[in-house]
Structure formats: structure tokens, C-alpha cells
Amino acid sequence: MKLVLAEYPESRDRSIEVEKRYLPPDTEISYAVVDEGNMEAYYAALEEADAVLTGFAPLDETAIDRMKHCRIISVQATGWNFVADEYAAKKGIAVCAVGEYCTQEVADHTMALMLGVCRLIPYHMRRVNQDHVWEIETLKDRKVQRFGAKTLGIVGFGKIGRAVAVRARAFGMKVIAHDPYIGRETAERQGVELVSIDRILEEADVISIHMNLTSENENYFNKEKFDKMKRQPYIINMARGAMINEEDLADALDRQVVSGAGLDVLYSESPELGTSKLINRENVIITPHCGFYSDDAIEACERISVQNITYYMNGEKEKVFKIVNGI
């Protein structure tokens, strides 16, 4: 079997010892590295693959057209918005993802960002580490409220959204959620009220985003939605950066329509941080898409994504964790 790993330049030299452990010993491994200045080389490197493994490197229709023998694209993530999965199905190529491997880590990171921005941690770090000032008098001029008295609005109430709800309720927060694909009973079992998106925008002090990215919800949080937010909420995004229009978020922060943001993702997976309007703000915490990370989670993701390939190539489709395009 010829396996091609589709990678961005920054991940090209990562260790793949776990992946090798679960692959047949005669597997031929090569790389296709995204180079926006020479995408032809990237596409050419995919041509002879029997299987492709990708984390976040895009596999669009052009890439899929170049795959002469590929039977399966395995995604080392829970989301697969960067893969043209429906087009792959037309070409007879299965697309599979890791259905769950980092729920606890992402939920924990969500709460860390939420607490960090609500408790003004960046401000305090600057005052202590840079200004060498030990005081709290200036807090009178800032918005500091009791965390447990806040209402959390969760947008996307899948496994991660539910795990966040458990943690938030333990802090004493009231939790409401919006998800058109989840039944009301599912939410009520966790003491969560399922509501419209407009209720979230009107009532939430904190809005935490946990949707899968689709063509319908790209730029979902934009000026129109920010202007409907009644309580100057904090925005937490642990899903995909493309769900937020970053220009509109920066404007909402400037106008104090939004009090702050905790972002583990930005619109681009390789952002130009030097030109971003969201960095160097004391009411914004940005982490580099690391919310999923723990040694345990990484091992599980690498193992499951490769096992998916092995099972599928061996004709054991029933053992594949999650085939997302029906092939």
C-alpha cells in the first residue's frame, strides 16, 4: 500500500512513529506538502496514493482528480471541511474522520479561555509582568462580574458542547444551547434549555462555539449577529475559525459590542499574525489551535486515523470509526 501524508510545511517533520505502529510493515510512505506558490507539486505528490492521511491540508476537487488509485482519505481530526468529501464519493473514494478523541481536552480548554477572558487574566499578567504594578484599583473601570452568575450560550450541542455544559453548570452558570440537529430531550437531560440562535444572542453573557463547519455556517458570526448581542458577551471559539468574520469581530470589540474573545482557531490555519486585528488585545486570548492537545489525545487520534485506513483497505468497513461520505 502506498500511503501519502498530506501536510503543511510546519508539520512535515513531525514524528509518525505511532502511525507506523498500526500500518502494515510493507507500507510505502511519502509526503505531499502544501506549497501555495507551487500547488502543482502538491497535487503531483498525491497521484500514486492508495490512501491519503491528512490533518488539515486541503484535499479539494483538483487534488482528488489527480489521485489515480486512491481508495480512502483518512482525516486526523473530527472535522473534515477541508476535504471535498461529496466529490470524493463520486470518484469512489471514502472519506473517514476520527469521531471522538479529544472531547475532554477541548472542553477543558474552552473553560480555560472562558475563565481567562472573563477574569481579565491578560490584563493582570501585563500589569504584573511588564508594568511591575501590584494593584486592583483600576478594576473599578473594567467589567468584572461573578462568573457563576453568567449565562452561557452554547452554539453546537454535540459531544464537546455537552462536555462544556457539564463543566459550566459545575461553576453555577445557567446554560442555554442552540443546535437544530439535537432533540430537546437531549439538552434537558443535562439541565440545558434548547433555544433559538436569537435567544442566545439576546441572553448570553458568554457564547461558546462548537459547531462543525459547513458551507452554510461560514462567517456565521458576523456584524449582523454581533449587533444583536444584548449583553456585550464574551465569544469563545473552539470549533473552526471560518465561523467568525474576523474583521467584524475586531470591529465589535472596538465598539464594545463584544467584551472579549477566547479563540483557539483563526480563519486561516496558517494565519499572518503580524497583520491580524485580533492580537495584542488585553481582552482577547488566542491559542494556536491546541485545545485538542494532550499526549493521550494525540496518540488516540494518530492511532484511530491509521486504523481507519488499515480496516478499510482490508475490507473491514464495519470497524472504521466514522465514514462521512457513505463509500
Side-chain angles (χ1 to χ4, degrees):
M1 176 177 68
K2 294 182 179 180
L3 172 65
V4 175
L5 276 63
E7 303 281 350
Y8 278 103
E10 52 265 36
S11 63
R12 165 61 178 84
D13 295 324
R14 69 184 178 86
S15 171
I16 58 169
E17 290 307 309
V18 172
E19 287 90 338
K20 288 179 178 178
R21 200 180 308 152
Y22 294 95
L23 287 167
D26 61 345
T27 302
E28 297 179 31
I29 300 175
S30 61
Y31 290 84
V33 181
V34 175
D35 179 355
E36 294 182 358
N38 183 14
M39 289 302 287
E40 172 58 28
Y42 173 67
Y43 295 138
L46 296 165
E47 288 186 349
E48 301 302 323
D50 297 308
V52 175
L53 183 68
T54 181
F56 298 101
L59 295 170
D60 55 15
E61 293 184 4
T62 302
I64 290 168
D65 278 336
R66 296 291 288 272
M67 298 176 189
K68 299 176 182 178
H69 316 292
C70 188
R71 292 177 54 195
I72 181 170
I73 296 168
S74 182
V75 180
Q76 280 191 321
T78 56
W80 60 94
N81 56 287
F82 45 90
V83 178
D85 58 299
E86 293 182 3
Y87 190 73
K90 294 177 182 178
K91 297 289 185 174
I93 301 173
V95 176
C96 60
V98 181
E100 196 281 328
Y101 73 98
C102 59
T103 295
Q104 304 307 315
E105 286 82 359
V106 175
D108 289 345
H109 202 83
T110 300
M111 297 306 297
L113 292 181
M114 199 182 302
L115 285 161
V117 294
C118 291
R119 296 298 304 166
L120 309 184
I121 298 302
Y123 168 75
H124 293 303
M125 291 182 68
R126 191 260 298 175
R127 293 289 280 162
V128 171
N129 294 333
Q130 295 180 31
D131 299 345
H132 300 160
V133 173
W134 187 270
E135 60 81 28
I136 61 171
E137 285 74 18
T138 53
L139 292 178
K140 292 181 293 186
D141 302 322
R142 293 172 175 267
K143 180 182 177 182
V144 187
Q145 298 176 347
R146 181 170 292 171
F147 190 72
K150 293 183 182 294
T151 295
L152 171 63
I154 297 175
V155 184
F157 203 60
K159 290 178 181 178
I160 294 173
R162 293 173 217 168
V164 170
V166 170
R167 288 157 173 75
R169 293 192 69 232
F171 276 95
M173 301 182 82
K174 175 184 176 181
V175 182
I176 57 179
H178 173 71
D179 192 324
Y181 304 102
I182 296 294
R184 190 171 301 278
E185 316 76 44
T186 300
E188 289 176 349
R189 280 196 295 270
Q190 288 194 243
V192 176
E193 183 183 4
L194 210 59
V195 300
S196 67
I197 188 62
D198 284 340
R199 283 270 309 273
I200 296 280
L201 301 178
E202 291 172 5
E203 298 180 15
D205 300 296
V206 182
I207 296 175
S208 193
I209 305 168
H210 301 284
M211 299 183 288
N212 287 324
L213 179 63
T214 68
S215 57
E216 287 76 30
N217 61 25
E218 185 170 354
N219 287 310
Y220 185 81
F221 284 92
N222 53 27
K223 186 177 187 301
E224 179 185 2
K225 286 193 171 62
F226 292 134
D227 285 347
K228 289 182 179 180
M229 296 176 180
K230 303 297 186 184
R231 299 182 63 81
Q232 298 175 296
Y234 294 91
I235 307 296
I236 311 297
N237 189 6
M238 293 294 300
R240 288 290 183 265
M243 292 178 187
I244 294 180
N245 183 303
E246 292 181 2
E247 291 282 337
D248 291 353
L249 175 58
D251 174 68
L253 289 163
D254 290 341
R255 294 186 291 121
Q256 298 183 358
V257 172
V258 170
S259 292
L263 310 172
D264 188 49
V265 286
L266 294 175
Y267 200 95
S268 170
E269 284 295 333
S270 299
E272 292 290 338
L273 296 178
T275 59
S276 173
K277 294 182 178 180
L278 296 175
I279 68 168
N280 294 322
R281 293 174 180 260
E282 289 186 348
N283 59 346
V284 177
I285 298 176
I286 300 175
T287 53
H289 203 165
C290 62
F292 67 92
Y293 196 95
S294 74
D295 293 343
D296 296 326
I298 293 301
E299 191 281 335
C301 182
E302 293 171 347
R303 170 177 49 81
I304 294 169
S305 60
V306 171
Q307 286 176 326
N308 282 343
I309 292 173
T310 302
Y311 290 143
Y312 193 89
M313 297 296 281
N314 289 341
E316 300 175 283
K317 287 176 59 175
E318 72 281 357
K319 293 184 179 180
V320 176
F321 198 119
K322 186 177 183 180
I323 298 175
V324 302
N325 68 340
I327 296 298

